[in-house]
Amino acid sequence: MDAVSQHLVTLLTEKFEVPAEHIDPQATLADLELDSLAVVELYLTLQERWNIPLDENGADAEHTVDAIARRITELLAAAATESEGA
């Protein structure tokens, strides 16, 4: 498990009290019983943690854990590429 996925799992278990055994990469946030407010809070927390422009307006309970981790990884890679070019 990469650092982004591990952080996401830790955040879900510690802050949102999702039992670790329920967190599967293909589980949606709705599967994990996060309501819309919790989903937005999760996105904001991830945005702050990684300092990336993760659009909380796109926060959707139907996104999977894996899809969120992949999106964060993509944004981090884009930010790294951008900083190298600056």
Side-chain angles (χ1 to χ4, degrees), residues 7-47:
H7 178 75
L8 184 53
V9 169
T10 300
L11 186 60
L12 287 167
T13 57
E14 293 181 0
K15 185 169 184 166
F16 295 95
E17 301 179 353
V18 176
E21 63 272 14
H22 292 172
I23 301 173
D24 178 272
Q26 297 310 313
T28 66
L29 299 179
D31 293 338
L32 301 177
E33 300 183 1
L34 270 66
D35 63 21
S36 59
L37 184 59
V39 171
V40 170
E41 185 177 355
L42 173 66
Y43 272 66
L44 289 172
T45 302
L46 291 167
Q47 183 172 287

Side-chain angles (χ1 to χ4, degrees), residues 66-84:
D66 186 54
I68 295 168
R70 280 188 282 117
R71 180 68 181 138
I72 292 169
T73 300
E74 290 169 0
L75 289 169
L76 289 171
T81 301
E82 186 174 302
S83 69
E84 289 174 6

